[in-house]
Amino acid sequence: MIPARGYAAQNATTPLGPFNFERREVGENDVLIDILYCGVCHSDIHQARDEWGGSIFPMVPGHEIVGRISKVGGKVTKFKVGDLAGVGCFVDSCRTCASCQEGLEQYCEVHNVQTYNSVEMDGKTPTYGGYSSQITVDEQYTLKISEKLDLKSVAPLLCAGITTYSPLRTWKVGAGHKIAVVGLGGLGHMGVKLAASMGAEVTVLSTSPSKEADAKELGAHKFAVTKDPEQMKALGSYFDFILDTVSAPHDLNMYLSLLKRDGTMILVGAPPEATPLHAFSLIPKRKRIVGSMIGGIAETQEMLDYCAEHNIVSDVEVIPMAEINNAYERMIKGDVRYRFVIDMSTL
Ligand code: NAP
Ligand code: ZN
Ligand code: ZN
């Protein structure tokens, strides 16, 4: 086994702190990655605090991982020592079900092995995430990272990037479409950049009036404050799409009123609590509400290549590892511009 250092939550209520554990030896299809940066996703908070239920402790969160390969197994073909590499939200899946065969491993019908807060395909070995010194991963679940982009700003693409890219592609969002991005946080700011790069007219719907200038700089064409009923009324039946990235409970019916006929609301934000949905928010204009979860390996690579080609990265605030608990508190208050990324050399 390979000794590793990280930061872990020991239970749902105590702050994260230093934690020593072991990574598996590098198997013939594995690579060992020395982690350089790891993004901080709101899903890390939901899980470390067991807000979704079923959390496994101790938990080393982190699924926006970038680093350099320090060792490769004998059958590895995609990577060599010294290459940049990335790991997103999962590290294995059954590889044979219909979803895996279609490159939709995130929807594996047998078991999608999440990067942390999960167990390996053996059903028992716990997985530990990217708030750590290194990680052993099968090369098939490892992403290639361009040397062209600023590495710390690339890390958030592994979750926030793919989670917004995938539904934009699934629903073919592009020129001629009006899309609202709800919530300008980690996912939201990537949604704005990506949707704008695909040619859509982008409006940010935010609870924070202070984010207007940033929204425009990120590529949004319009900005509206959701707490202002007049501004919401003016956008009634306006949008083809709404990309909802909000992490806390909010009234879906109000947002649905902003869709035009046949409009689609895409949920990616995952508040722990259920929210009421009125049938009449959907029926009169044949609206639909859909969900989307991260993206498969092939699509994640496509997104990374797309971002390298279009020079798209995340706007990040780099923090030392020891600042993580404070970063969580700031994210919960919406005080992040627009993704915290841990500099793993501070571990
Ligand atoms: P984040 O950086 O904390 O951003 C969330 C944003 O939501 C906040 O910045 C804020 O933006 C807005 N918001 C917060 N509380 C709100 C409230 N009560 N009402 C309305 N808006 C509110 O979080 P994130 O990392 O982007 O993650 C967002 C959500 O997506 C989380 O629930 C996360 O678990 C989920 N997620 C899902 C997937 C997936 O595969 N579907 C993947 C990753 C993350 P404003 O200040 O602009 O209002
Ligand atoms: Zn995430
Ligand atoms: Zn599968």
Side-chain angles (χ1 to χ4, degrees), residues 104 106-107 160-172 194 198 266 268 292-296 299-300 302-303:
L104 298 167
Q106 75 274 34
Y107 303 120
I162 185 58
T163 300
T164 48
Y165 181 90
S166 182
L168 293 173
R169 286 303 194 211
T170 299
W171 293 94
K172 301 187 167 54
L194 290 166
M198 293 169 190
I266 305 161
V268 289
S292 187
M293 189 170 81
I294 45 177
E299 193 174 46
T300 304
E302 176 190 305
M303 176 276 308

Side-chain angles (χ1 to χ4, degrees), residues 81-280:
V81 170
D83 285 353
L84 288 176
V87 180
C89 298
F90 59 92
V91 289
D92 206 353
S93 64
C94 87
R95 307 173 190 221
T96 54
C97 74
S99 294
C100 284
Q101 297 265 307
E102 284 175 61
L104 298 167
E105 302 90 347
Q106 75 274 34
Y107 303 120
C108 176
E109 287 138 47
V110 179
H111 177 48
N112 178 252
V113 181
Q114 310 257 302
T115 304
Y116 69 88
N117 191 27
S118 183
V119 288
E120 298 282 2
M121 288 308 291
D122 65 7
K124 56 177 194 231
T125 309
T127 58
Y128 296 116
Y131 298 1
S132 60
S133 50
Q134 70 263 70
I135 186 168
T136 312
V137 189
D138 187 305
E139 68 161 337
Q140 280 194 50
Y141 293 79
T142 307
L143 287 309
K144 285 192 165 292
I145 303 288
S146 165
E147 297 273 356
K148 228 177 80 181
L149 299 173
D150 176 47
L151 192 60
K152 61 185 185 302
S153 313
V154 168
L157 301 181
L158 275 307
C159 176
I162 185 58
T163 300
T164 48
Y165 181 90
S166 182
L168 293 173
R169 286 303 194 211
T170 299
W171 293 94
K172 301 187 167 54
V173 175
H177 289 138
K178 295 186 170 81
I179 184 168
V181 174
V182 187
L184 197 61
L187 266 57
H189 93 293
M190 289 312 308
V192 169
K193 290 190 186 206
L194 290 166
S197 79
M198 293 169 190
E201 184 203 280
V202 182
T203 302
V204 168
L205 303 181
S206 174
T207 59
S208 312
S210 62
K211 292 181 181 172
E212 177 162 5
D214 288 350
K216 302 263 170 75
E217 212 154 292
L218 292 164
H221 305 89
K222 298 183 179 194
F223 181 90
V225 178
T226 49
K227 288 172 184 160
D228 179 347
E230 286 305 308
Q231 290 192 39
M232 290 301 99
K233 210 169 144 209
L235 290 170
S237 305
Y238 185 80
F239 297 106
D240 300 284
F241 295 97
I242 296 174
L243 182 64
D244 182 342
T245 75
V246 175
S247 52
H250 55 294
D251 180 15
L252 297 181
N253 303 288
M254 189 281 283
Y255 295 98
L256 286 165
S257 73
L258 310 181
L259 284 177
K260 58 170 80 154
R261 198 200 72 224
D262 288 313
T264 304
M265 180 161 185
I266 305 161
L267 299 185
V268 289
E273 299 83 4
T275 176
L277 177 64
H278 300 304
F280 286 107

